[in-house]
Structure formats: C-alpha cells, structure tokens
Amino acid sequence: MKTLDKLQTSEWKRPEEVMQLHRLKIKKRALQARMSNTHITRGDLKLRATEKSDKCNYNTNLEASNDTLFELLKIESPKVDKAENTIIDCPLTFRNALSKLEVNKNISEPEIVKGEKYIPVDWTLKTKMRFMSLKPFPWNCKLKTSEEASGISGFVRCLNIGEQDSTLDTSPNARLHRCCLVWQHPSIPWLELFPRSAGKVSANLASNSTIVNNTYIKEALYKDWSESFRSLFHLLRARQCPYFYVCANNFTVLFRAAGISGISEAHALLTPTTRGFRQFLKQEEIEYTMPLRKDFKRRSNLSDSGCETLDTATSNTTLVNHIEDQNLDDEDETQDEWLQSLGVENSEIRKINSSQKETEIDNMKQSLILVKGVEAQALFNFLINCKSAITTTGPLAGIPPTLLAPVAFHGATLKPIKVKESTVRVDNERYFSLELRGPLLPHVLPSLCSLMKSSQLEQYSASCARLDSTTSFSAVKQVFVCIFTEQEESINTSKIPQNVFGKENLSDCGFNDELLKYFCSPDPTHIQIIENIKFSNNFYTWT
C-alpha cells in the first residue's frame, strides 16, 4: 500500500511503475470482493439459523398450544408417528386449522346467482304475451281431440292435469290448452269486447245500430249482464272465485276475494276516476281511499282522502315528494294571497283549491280508488245500477261492461286465447316463439312458467303487452291495509303467517297450492309490473 501511495505521489512514472500500479488495483478489487462474499455467506447462514430456530420455537408453541387445547376440551392428545413426525387421526390441531385457513384464502368465493325462485303477481291486464326459447317447446298448436277435451275439462272442473289422479290426457298440449282459456260475459261474435277502447274496436256499426236503436235488446242485454255480475260477486264473497275484472269503456274494476294479498276482507280497486265519478260515490256514502295520491297528508281533510302507499316508502322518493309538496305549498300560498287581495273569503278559497286538486288527477294513475269490506258491497250495488257504465255512443254503445274471470259463473262464455307458434331469428340465432293474444289474466303467466318448468325447459324469456290503464292495480302495494280485523287480533293471530287463512279459505277457488301461495302472500315485493321476464339457472329475473 505504501508503494502504491509512493507511485501515486511521484510526478514522473515509468511503464513498469504504471503496470505495477495496475496490478495492485486488480489485487485490491479481488480482495474487496472476497471480503464481501464472506460477509454475505455468513449473513445468510445466520439468517437461516435464526429462521430454523424460530420455526422450531413456532412448532414447539403449536404443540404446547395443542396440548392446552386438548386439556381444555377434555380430549385425548393425538397420537404422533415419531418416524415420520406426523399426527395420526386427529385433525383438531392449531396447525391443521391454520393450514386450512391458508387454503381457504386461495379459494375464490362462488358467484352469487341473481334472481328469485318465485314469479311476482302482476295485476295489470295483458293483451299479448310472447315466449321465446332456443330449444323447441314441448307442445304444438295442433291439438288432438283428447288433448283439447282434457284441457277444457281440466279448466272447467278446476283440475290440475298431471298432479291429480284422473283419466284426462296429461300431455303438454292438453296442459297448455288448459292455461289458455278464460270466462267472459257478454260475448257478441261480431264485437271485440276486450280491450274496451272505442278507438281500437273493430266493429260493424251497421250491425251494432240494431242494439243502439232497439230498447228491448238493450234492456235484455243489461238484465242478463246484471245476473252474471251478481253471480260472479257472490262467488267472490264465498271465496270460490279469487278475483275478477269489470271492464267498462272509461274505467276498469278489479274485485279481489278476502285473503288475496293477505287482506282479510273482500276489496276492490277502480281506475281511472274523475271528480264527477267520485262525487257520485260520495253521494252514495261509499267510503274510499286514494292510495296513489302523493298529497294524502296535506289533503286528508278533503273528500278525496288518501292513505300512504309503498311508492313513497324509499328515501329518494320521499325526498322528491317532500320537495314537490313544498313547491305546491308555495304556489298555493301565492295564489291564496292573490285571492285574498281580491276580497275572496277563506272558505271560498279552500273550495277552489279543493276543486283544482281533485281535477288535476282525473283519468290519471293517481285517481285510483280503493274500497274494502262493506264498501266493496256498496260499490257492487252502485255499479250494477250505474247507467253511466254503459256508453251511449260509439261502436260499443248499449253494450254492458265486459266481465272476465278465471272461474265459471252464470251466463259466462268459455273463450279460448289465440295461440300462435313460429320461429324467428334474432342476431342470426334461431328462436322458437309462442305468442298468445286475448284477455290474459294475472294467473296465466305463472301458470305457463310453471308448465315450462315442469317440462324441463331450462332457459326462456317472455315479453308482455299490457293494458296501460290497469298498471295502477300493481302500483298499489297493499301494506297499509290492516291484514287482520280487530276480532282476529283478539284471538292472538298475529303470530300466524298472514297468508295461512287466505290459502285455507280459498282452497276451492280453482287455484293450486303453488298459485295460492303467491296470490295470498302479503309481501309487497311479490307484486310487480312485469314487461319482460327471463328464466335461467332455475331463477326468474324481470323488468
């Protein structure tokens, strides 16, 4: 090193001195490299020794913990194979538990399948329904004699083909035909009585003029209709009919038996209504509520008293309604101040506001009214004597409202739903299509879905065309209605499921147990407006 320093300090350097300096630098670097490797190797050995020691201490702690665990649980200590250093027939150790935890961390969580096992009830009347599937349906539209006869017999006698012992044909065609029938009154071959929209009715006005201009024919039609309506309502009160519809030109009424949707009384929903119609009900002393009105809290003192619905239950909707109510209050105050400046009395101002608010909801979804119990009987009496329910103009002039029901009644006509089967192409894929047209009642969709499930059709979808004026029937979530009467509560029925009474009392209404379970459920989530529904992986999804 001194020689190296001496060479570096000299001013003049000879070639041999330069080479000597170069060789010294190489030796210095080699020495530094050897010294570094020695430290690293020793460090590794020390680290490995430390890890081994920690592992031994860890295993010793685990074994000690195991012994403590067995002592606490009063379990015999496990047998150890000393040759292989393994535990024999004892998975209950901390080591095994920790190893399982490590394995479980690497296992990915299973995917959650979205959907429901049930089909919600949609009280909206449907005009068309189309099912589509990649695989062919287990039936066809060409019915054999036995299939048509068995389908009719099963529907008329309320028999579950394939589930009850009988001599009826149980083929998919017969069971499909059973689902595609409806009872209707009146039935006039040259008039289409559903839907009851004058703009959509294709009728021969010349032929209908005979009814309009003949008083005897009109009175005979009305008398026959009154008997059918009365028969159907009595079936409903006896709980041998779950529900039925009354379709007039300007409104539709849905009567439901006690027990449906968990409600302990017979009840009825009517939509849409006008202020004049509601005034008629008031004059007849028929009490009703308007569950879809947003201003039920502020306008509870008016003749159109309302009550809360599930539509205002969510926080977002409540906030929006609160803001709207504040805006309405501000507008009302401004208008009231202006009227007061003109010298109008407060009583007159209240009447003006009441009239304005009642008129604003005319013929809208919010104009739906609900009656229950004895008021449902009063509404029946009102409708059966209401001359305004029969229009005096248009192609359906003089024709009473259309009655639709899933069970037979006096004067009812058995009407088949039109069924068409075809194949269509969507995105270059071939689909099998099944289309139904006619008055499709709420039980048709779940019945067809149940039929397809029993036929082991793994995947399909359905789209529905609805009668828009009846969507408010499903918009009403009947949570606000008392499920039990005071007398039922006095015998401590609150602990009994709310749909038990309905299912038992409606056992003769023509529905099987599966349908009754859904129609009698008080759960508001079981009532939805369905436009599209899909079935896949044994789950239903809808929009």
Side-chain angles (χ1 to χ4, degrees):
M1 298 298 292
K2 292 181 180 179
T3 306
L4 179 64
D5 295 338
K6 184 177 180 181
L7 289 173
Q8 289 177 343
T9 55
S10 60
E11 297 180 357
W12 300 97
K13 296 179 176 64
R14 297 177 182 180
E16 60 270 14
E17 292 177 351
V18 174
M19 293 303 298
Q20 186 180 0
L21 179 64
H22 179 65
R23 285 192 294 270
L24 288 173
K25 288 182 178 179
I26 292 175
K27 291 181 180 179
K28 183 179 179 180
R29 290 174 184 172
L31 180 61
Q32 290 177 349
R34 285 197 299 272
M35 292 176 66
S36 300
N37 289 336
T38 302
H39 288 308
I40 292 172
T41 305
R42 288 178 180 175
D44 290 343
L45 291 175
K46 186 177 181 181
L47 178 62
R48 291 173 185 172
T50 304
E51 289 178 349
K52 186 174 182 180
S53 175
D54 292 342
K55 188 175 182 181
C56 292
N57 293 333
Y58 175 73
N59 292 336
T60 304
N61 291 333
L62 284 180
E63 290 175 0
S65 302
N66 290 338
D67 294 337
T68 305
L69 173 64
F70 295 125
E71 290 178 3
L72 291 174
L73 297 178
K74 297 181 179 180
I75 301 175
E76 294 184 1
S77 300
K79 298 178 180 179
V80 180
D81 188 351
K82 295 183 179 179
E84 299 182 0
N85 194 23
T86 57
I87 298 174
I88 304 173
D89 297 332
C90 185
L92 188 62
T93 63
F94 281 116
R95 184 181 298 174
N96 292 344
L98 291 174
S99 63
K100 289 181 180 180
L101 287 176
E102 293 295 330
V103 173
N104 291 336
K105 287 181 181 179
N106 299 325
I107 300 175
S108 59
E109 295 182 0
E111 295 183 1
I112 301 176
V113 181
K114 295 182 179 180
E116 300 291 346
K117 287 287 188 179
Y118 66 88
I119 302 174
V121 178
D122 186 2
W123 294 102
T124 306
L125 280 172
K126 304 290 192 303
T127 58
K128 186 172 68 172
M129 196 177 295
R130 172 177 286 181
F131 289 86
M132 298 189 63
S133 171
L134 286 170
K135 294 184 179 180
F137 295 105
W139 50 73
N140 55 68
C141 298
K142 297 180 180 179
L143 295 175
K144 297 179 182 178
T145 303
S146 61
E147 293 171 342
E148 181 179 357
S150 296
I152 293 174
S153 297
F155 179 73
V156 172
R157 301 175 190 174
C158 299
L159 300 176
N160 298 320
I161 300 178
E163 298 179 9
Q164 297 179 352
D165 295 334
S166 66
T167 59
L168 298 178
D169 192 328
T170 60
S171 64
N173 272 10
R175 297 170 66 187
L176 173 67
H177 189 57
R178 185 197 181 282
C179 297
C180 299
L181 296 169
V182 64
W183 293 103
Q184 175 182 317
H185 180 89
S187 177
I188 303 175
W190 64 90
L191 292 176
E192 186 178 346
L193 300 182
F194 179 85
R196 291 293 294 251
S197 176
K200 297 181 180 180
V201 174
S202 56
N204 189 336
L205 296 180
S207 300
N208 196 37
S209 61
T210 305
I211 299 175
V212 176
N213 299 324
N214 194 314
T215 306
Y216 175 77
I217 294 178
K218 288 193 295 184
E219 290 180 354
L221 283 173
Y222 173 73
K223 182 180 179 180
D224 197 31
W225 177 83
S226 299
E227 291 298 325
S228 297
F229 190 16
R230 184 177 289 105
S231 169
L232 197 48
F233 186 73
H234 288 170
L235 284 170
L236 185 93
R237 290 185 59 190
R239 302 184 184 184
Q240 295 179 12
C241 174
Y243 66 85
F244 68 89
Y245 289 82
V246 182
C247 303
N249 281 26
N250 299 322
F251 61 85
T252 306
V253 191
L254 168 60
F255 283 90
R256 302 197 298 202
I260 298 296
S261 295
I263 304 174
S264 60
E265 297 177 292
H267 53 284
L269 301 164
L270 190 151
T271 185
T273 62
T274 61
R275 182 192 175 197
F277 186 87
R278 295 190 294 271
Q279 289 296 329
F280 280 135
L281 296 180
K282 183 181 177 182
Q283 293 173 6
E284 296 293 328
E285 297 183 350
I286 299 175
E287 296 182 3
Y288 61 87
T289 56
M290 302 182 71
L292 296 182
R293 282 188 60 165
K294 294 181 180 180
D295 57 346
F296 63 91
K297 290 182 179 178
R298 297 191 303 109
R299 304 296 176 184
S300 59
N301 59 336
L302 302 179
S303 58
D304 287 349
S305 59
C307 54
E308 188 173 4
T309 72
L310 196 66
D311 293 342
T312 58
T314 60
S315 59
N316 293 334
T317 307
T318 304
L319 178 60
V320 171
N321 291 339
H322 180 64
I323 294 173
E324 289 179 354
D325 290 345
Q326 286 183 340
N327 294 334
L328 288 172
D329 287 336
D330 295 339
E331 293 177 2
D332 290 346
E333 289 177 1
T334 303
Q335 183 179 3
D336 293 351
E337 291 175 358
W338 179 73
L339 291 173
Q340 288 175 355
S341 65
L342 297 177
V344 181
E345 297 181 358
N346 290 335
S347 60
E348 293 297 326
I349 293 175
R350 285 194 296 270
K351 290 181 181 179
I352 293 172
N353 290 337
S354 174
S355 175
Q356 183 179 357
K357 293 300 179 183
E358 290 179 19
T359 308
E360 284 178 356
I361 64 172
D362 283 358
N363 296 315
M364 296 180 64
K365 182 176 71 173
Q366 292 80 5
S367 66
L368 175 140
I369 64 171
L370 164 71
V371 297
K372 57 189 179 73
V374 294
E375 305 302 331
Q377 175 72 55
L379 180 64
F380 163 75
N381 295 333
F382 172 79
L383 292 176
I384 208 169
N385 297 309
C386 181
K387 299 297 183 181
S388 61
I390 302 175
T391 183
T392 56
T393 59
L396 297 180
I399 309 297
T402 306
L403 304 176
L404 299 171
V407 297
F409 57 95
H410 286 172
T413 302
L414 184 62
K415 304 282 288 187
I417 296 171
K418 297 178 182 179
V419 181
K420 180 183 178 182
E421 193 174 19
S422 61
T423 57
V424 295
R425 286 197 172 273
V426 180
D427 297 333
N428 294 325
E429 282 197 74
R430 184 188 181 190
Y431 286 86
F432 294 88
S433 171
L434 182 73
E435 185 177 292
L436 295 84
R437 289 179 177 269
L440 301 171
L441 301 184
H443 71 276
V444 174
L445 178 61
S447 297
L448 288 174
C449 290
S450 177
L451 174 58
M452 292 186 182
K453 187 176 181 180
S454 64
S455 301
Q456 298 182 351
L457 196 62
E458 298 176 353
Q459 189 174 3
Y460 62 86
S461 62
S463 57
C464 306
R466 62 179 185 266
L467 195 62
D468 290 333
S469 60
T470 61
T471 55
S472 53
F473 291 147
S474 290
V476 176
K477 312 289 186 174
Q478 303 289 359
V479 228
F480 54 86
V481 181
C482 295
I483 304 300
F484 299 108
T485 61
E486 293 181 359
Q487 182 179 1
E488 289 170 339
E489 289 178 351
S490 64
I491 59 174
N492 195 19
T493 59
S494 58
K495 297 182 180 180
I496 302 176
Q498 297 173 349
N499 60 341
V500 169
F501 294 115
K503 287 181 62 177
E504 292 299 324
N505 294 330
L506 289 166
S507 58
D508 294 327
C509 73
F511 284 175
N512 58 28
D513 293 338
E514 184 179 3
L515 273 179
L516 272 181
K517 180 176 68 175
Y518 297 136
F519 277 85
C520 294
S521 173
D523 189 348
T525 61
H526 287 191
I527 302 176
Q528 300 289 337
I529 299 175
I530 299 177
E531 293 184 358
N532 299 282
I533 190 168
K534 294 182 180 180
F535 177 76
S536 180
N537 298 322
N538 289 323
F539 283 93
Y540 296 98
T541 57
W542 56 83
T543 55

